[in-house]
Amino acid sequence: MSPPLPSRRGVLGGIGALAVAGSFGLAAANRSASALASDADVRVRYWNLFSGGDGANMIAMLDAFRAANPRVGVLDSTLQWGNPYYTKLAMAASGNRAPDLAVMHLGRIPGFAPGQLLDPWDVRLLAEYGVREADFNPVLWKRAVVDGKLYGLPLDIHAQLCFYRRDVCEKAGLLGADGDLAKVTSPEDWFKALKAAKKAVEGAVHTIGIKADEPNFSWWFFLSFYTQLGGTCLSADGREVTLDTDKATQVLEFLRQHLTDGYSTAIGIADGESFVNGSAFTWEGNWSVPVFSGAKLDYGATPLPPVFGEPATHTESHCFVLPHQSQRGGATNEGAHQLAAYVVKNATAWARGGHIPAYLPTLDDKKYVSLEPQSEYVSAMDHMAVEPSAWFAGSTGLLAQRIGPVIASSNVGSAKPDATARRMKDVLEKLVAMKNPMEGRSAAEGGSAA
Amino acid sequence: MSAVDTAVAPAAVRTVPAAGTDALRARLTRRLQHGGWFVAPFLTLFALFVLFPIGRGLWLSFTDANISGTGERFVGLDNYREALDSPLLWDSLGHSAYFTLLVVPCIVVLAFLLAMLAHHIERAKWLWRLCFFAPFLLPSTVAGNLWQWLFNPGTGMINHVFGLDTPWLTQKSTALLAVVITTLWWTVGFSFLLFLAALQNIPRHLYEAAELDGAGAWQRMVHITLPMLRNITGLVITLQILASLQVFDQAVVMQDFGPGPEESTRTFVQYTLEEGFTAYRVGYASAISIIFFVLIAAVALGRMWLLRKREEGVR
């Protein structure tokens, strides 16, 4: 038997009820949207790529800004990190639907068509909100300037670190008198330390996690040690490949030895978990600080060991940018400057996520100095190993995407270090000869090498 | 009205030489007047969302256009020349082809076996059908993430159940295989459904007659079931080849948007995406899309040609 059909009146009644309910819903949605801007004179649309601990920190800082500046409404959107983010940002800017303010990696600025997809900062306006060039690490500020104009306002430096467990390292006799990791200055000493640590590690975890198979990390670690050897990838003007294959081979052999000597594995995916479960070391980005602190580990963190002499560790930076708008200006633009200046100046809260603040006065803030292990690795900002300045470089850019897997293949043992070094040179040469799609000139022709 | 038109149409076309061009024009006009309005919405959408993008893509493939859509210049065949010279293109094409070679035979056999099982089982038929078809309803991101967990070397179920220590997704020799296994589980349901429907369409009396003639189960399978499923098998193979060549989402999700260990899971579609949206080289990405389009069309046409030839042979 089929169920009785609803009457015509019943159907009409139902549709009417739905319409009424729907209009309530719409009204509610409208109210919440207008509430955002109700007390605010301007509304700043802000895109960022921070999730996890960073995301929570950023939201707390935005709330503080809102409380202090009720006249400026902030409509923030958190988008997925990496290439999807940069694609959306580029397309929004080219389609003239860009947000008023956004975050990006400093290394991506040369490739992001300054002047076309990005608008320059009004330095005078920034100064009015208390942010001046003198307050920043000069290396960072210089990297954000293209053709004499500032395109990125540096927020932080994030570095690759050597995390160590004090309990394990103490047992292995690797701690100095101050309770921190004793300095190691040669590959031989480093592997001696690992040998001692291996004996002290308990359970079925490896001695050190180096993310040997992960393309991005592989590239970052390579760059750190290669810079320690004084190596460069491109000439200063970005037109020529200067990769020294002998030095590169030396670094690749050093990285690979972690696996061949049995201190690490080809499976990098569990490195962080392994550290929590008792590995002596892990090489990770400083954004892992909230994870390890949350796990209540007794641990410390230093820049990557200076085994090849000069200390150097890979760093990138988050910075604020103004995505291109054809009508940029007025109160909204001013609000964007105000918001960015506020976050940059109040970077102590931001540093809780592990990042080193770019705004130098923060480093003297007592609250910052007392942060552990943050204060232990501040020196990373004095020895930055950064990607070459080119349109294809920068976090998760084309260079990392092409060269990272090549390095990883040597790390895990399926390609020989010297052959890998030659392949790396080949990758760089192809990229240097490749036309920058945003301006039609290759790096070899002088395109976008800041 | 239109039914009458349709009914007379073949006759009208056949009488064209006798009736002359004026009569033909009159008939065409009449048919357009009556049917034109019905097909206009479709034609508009088709032109707007299919023809125009294809034409625009073809034009872009001869330019150095970037993602911002400004200042595109005509570069002739440069993009095509570069593409055919690029080892990345051939590698990624190789991965897509290898994936197709692995997936298609497995899907056909597996879907057929599952359909036979679901067709012959007597109890809880609906449960079997649901079990075999349900994974196909999942979005690719869900399927990819699910199997990423299952393949996790430390905590995943696969290594645990089979007592293995295999880093499935992080070593070159198994990464693409893991994507193949995921795809089989995720997509076999569709082909299974096609086979099941075809099995149910085979007239029972054929089997009854064969049984009376003393044919055993094996003979009934070889002489009735398989020949009656020939057309549907051809369809499943064609659809699977086309779908497998375009493999992208599950591979990308399982490798967290990377190219996989030693670039072993970068497929052709992923390469196109990287060039278009990471390198912002829209012109070049359009050129490789066109190359891929031609390749896929060639495979589909080749398959159709083979099928027709075989049918003519049967006749």
Side-chain angles (χ1 to χ4, degrees):
Chain A
M1 206 177 115
S2 59
L5 288 168
S7 68
R8 181 174 147 271
R9 188 173 294 179
V11 171
L12 286 176
I15 292 171
L18 271 177
V20 172
S23 62
F24 277 133
L26 278 178
N30 249 336
R31 214 176 21 253
S32 63
S34 59
L36 272 172
S38 58
D39 297 328
D41 296 337
V42 290
R43 193 171 66 172
V44 177
R45 288 172 303 135
Y46 162 48
W47 285 10
N48 67 70
L49 38 67
F50 301 120
S51 56
D54 279 352
N57 264 349
M58 180 50 74
I59 287 169
M61 292 176 82
L62 293 179
D63 285 342
F65 174 82
R66 287 185 185 107
N69 303 279
R71 315 295 295 171
V72 184
V74 181
L75 188 61
D76 59 309
S77 308
T78 301
L79 305 166
Q80 196 195 341
W81 172 82
N83 278 318
Y85 178 79
Y86 286 111
T87 304
K88 283 189 193 92
L89 198 59
M91 294 186 83
S94 67
N96 208 23
R97 289 184 301 276
D100 306 306
L101 179 68
V103 164
M104 67 185 270
H105 289 95
L106 199 52
R108 293 288 291 248
I109 286 185
F112 223 71
Q116 193 180 338
L117 295 181
L118 295 178
D119 291 332
W121 286 93
D122 182 340
V123 182
R124 235 184 34 207
L125 193 55
L126 281 176
E128 276 178 37
Y129 290 113
V131 169
R132 286 168 198 84
E133 183 181 347
D135 296 329
F136 289 85
N137 182 309
V139 179
L140 296 185
W141 190 274
K142 209 177 132 222
R143 289 182 73 206
V145 173
V146 179
D147 291 334
K149 288 180 187 148
L150 182 74
Y151 282 94
L153 182 64
L155 168 64
D156 64 32
I157 300 160
H158 46 95
Q160 304 310 319
L161 300 175
C162 173
F163 288 91
Y164 60 96
R165 286 190 60 133
R166 284 206 168 83
D167 45 352
V168 183
C169 288
E170 188 173 17
K171 219 157 66 174
L174 300 175
L175 298 186
D178 54 358
D180 290 346
L181 189 67
K183 214 165 215 145
V184 179
T185 49
S186 71
E188 293 75 32
D189 285 351
W190 172 246
F191 283 110
K192 259 187 218 158
L194 284 181
K195 198 172 177 185
K198 190 173 188 177
K199 284 183 194 139
V201 167
E202 285 168 10
V205 291
H206 41 250
T207 313
I208 179 169
I210 63 166
K211 291 191 184 288
D213 62 322
E214 214 284 330
N216 280 312
F217 279 93
S218 298
W219 163 230
W220 297 333
F221 296 143
F222 171 85
L223 193 64
S224 303
F225 294 107
Y226 180 67
T227 308
Q228 290 185 7
L229 276 173
T232 55
C233 292
L234 299 182
S235 58
D237 60 5
R239 287 170 181 248
E240 272 172 63
V241 176
T242 52
L243 187 91
D244 181 327
T245 47
D246 289 341
K247 284 178 180 166
T249 306
Q250 203 179 334
V251 173
L252 291 167
E253 274 167 354
F254 168 72
L255 289 173
R256 182 186 215 165
Q257 197 180 337
H258 290 82
L259 270 76
T260 48
D261 285 4
Y263 299 122
S264 193
T265 68
I267 314 162
I269 201 158
D271 285 347
E273 292 91 322
S274 203
F275 186 66
V276 172
N277 289 325
S279 286
F281 300 99
T282 189
W283 288 349
E284 259 284 4
N286 59 221
W287 50 86
S288 295
V289 163
V291 179
F292 299 150
S293 296
K296 306 235 177 323
L297 301 182
D298 181 15
Y299 77 103
T302 66
L304 293 181
V307 292
F308 291 118
E310 279 300 306
T313 204
H314 169 260
T315 61
E316 245 288 13
S317 293
H318 294 119
C319 63
F320 285 109
V321 289
L322 302 172
H324 175 64
Q325 294 175 342
S326 59
Q327 307 273 315
R328 182 169 284 285
T332 311
N333 188 41
E334 218 169 287
H337 280 71
Q338 189 181 352
L339 173 60
Y342 177 91
V343 177
V344 164
K345 274 166 61 186
N346 290 280
T348 305
W350 184 241
R352 284 194 202 110
H355 304 302
I356 305 168
Y359 186 67
L360 295 174
T362 320
L363 302 179
D364 301 325
D365 183 355
K366 274 191 193 133
K367 276 192 204 148
Y368 176 76
V369 176
S370 65
L371 284 178
E372 281 291 341
Q374 280 86 333
S375 51
E376 196 181 337
Y377 55 79
V378 175
S379 64
M381 72 187 295
D382 302 324
H383 311 287
M384 295 193 266
V386 295
E387 291 195 27
S389 183
W391 69 268
F392 44 76
S395 179
T396 69
L398 204 55
L399 173 57
Q401 208 168 61
R402 294 281 149 87
I403 213 164
V406 176
I407 300 168
S409 66
S410 160
N411 286 349
V412 300
S414 47
K416 290 209 166 82
D418 52 347
T420 302
R422 286 195 298 274
R423 261 188 82 194
M424 290 172 72
K425 192 157 191 172
D426 189 44
V427 168
L428 278 165
E429 267 159 8
K430 284 212 171 81
L431 287 172
V432 163
M434 188 192 264
K435 279 197 168 75
N436 175 358
M438 303 307 279
E439 62 173 53
R441 279 194 308 165
S442 67
E445 294 161 345
S448 273
Chain B
M1 197 59 187
S2 59
V4 174
D5 273 0
T6 320
V8 293
V13 172
R14 271 199 298 274
T15 55
V16 164
T21 47
D22 285 349
L24 173 67
R25 194 171 296 145
R27 281 203 187 87
L28 272 177
T29 316
R30 205 176 65 227
R31 286 173 86 185
L32 272 178
Q33 273 171 353
H34 292 140
W37 292 109
F38 289 100
V39 290
F42 167 76
L43 281 182
T44 314
L45 291 177
F46 185 73
L48 210 62
F49 292 109
V50 180
L51 291 183
F52 173 71
I54 289 179
R56 175 92 180 123
L58 191 63
W59 160 251
L60 285 176
S61 74
F62 298 113
T63 71
D64 65 352
N66 63 43
I67 205 169
S68 79
T70 53
E72 61 199 43
R73 286 176 314 160
F74 185 77
V75 294
L77 289 172
D78 282 5
N79 288 329
Y80 288 92
R81 236 174 264 132
E82 185 189 337
L84 296 176
D85 269 349
S86 163
L88 281 177
L89 177 129
W90 294 107
D91 280 353
S92 59
L93 190 62
H95 298 149
S96 293
Y98 181 52
F99 174 87
T100 307
L101 275 178
L102 289 177
V103 164
V104 175
C106 292
I107 284 253
V108 173
V109 173
L110 204 62
F112 172 71
L113 291 178
L114 295 180
M116 288 291 280
L117 195 67
H119 185 57
H120 286 292
I121 225 151
E122 291 301 328
R123 299 173 103 187
K125 268 188 176 202
W126 64 272
L127 182 69
W128 297 96
R129 291 178 193 179
L130 180 73
C131 287
F132 297 151
F133 186 68
F136 186 67
L137 299 173
L138 294 176
S140 52
T141 42
V142 176
N145 272 313
L146 197 69
W147 281 84
Q148 201 186 31
W149 294 334
L150 293 175
F151 281 123
N152 185 303
T155 53
M157 209 173 83
I158 308 246
N159 279 357
H160 182 74
V161 167
F162 295 103
L164 298 171
D165 196 19
T166 310
W168 288 91
L169 297 173
T170 50
Q171 70 178 10
K172 191 180 178 182
S173 57
T174 50
L176 198 65
L177 193 65
V179 182
V180 169
I181 294 171
T182 304
T183 309
L184 289 179
W185 174 83
W186 177 44
T187 62
V188 75
F190 181 68
S191 304
F192 155 77
L193 212 62
L194 291 178
F195 273 122
L196 188 64
L199 277 175
Q200 287 169 346
N201 271 342
I202 302 179
R204 284 200 73 82
H205 64 80
L206 289 182
Y207 291 106
E208 286 161 7
E211 256 176 86
L212 283 178
D213 288 345
W218 178 248
Q219 281 175 317
R220 291 201 298 273
M221 160 84 93
V222 173
H223 295 293
I224 301 177
T225 312
L226 290 182
M228 293 298 279
L229 290 181
R230 181 177 287 154
N231 281 348
I232 204 72
T233 311
L235 179 73
V236 167
I237 291 174
T238 310
L239 290 178
Q240 276 306 326
I241 290 176
L242 298 185
S244 303
L245 281 175
Q246 296 173 60
V247 55
F248 166 67
D249 31 6
Q250 65 271 39
V252 161
V253 168
M254 290 174 78
Q255 289 294 344
D256 295 324
F257 279 82
E262 297 173 58
E263 305 172 87
S264 57
T265 62
R266 181 191 277 128
T267 64
F268 198 91
V269 180
Q270 187 174 355
Y271 176 56
T272 314
L273 178 95
E274 282 176 11
E275 288 292 348
F277 293 100
T278 303
Y280 305 145
R281 303 175 72 207
V282 173
Y284 180 72
S286 300
I288 51 184
S289 305
I290 297 285
I291 293 174
F292 196 44
F293 173 75
V294 171
L295 266 174
I296 287 200
V299 169
L301 289 174
R303 177 68 217 140
M304 259 170 62
W305 180 74
L306 271 178
L307 208 69
R308 190 167 298 164
K309 233 182 153 191
R310 195 193 295 159
E311 273 170 11
E312 280 166 4
V314 169
R315 264 180 228 143

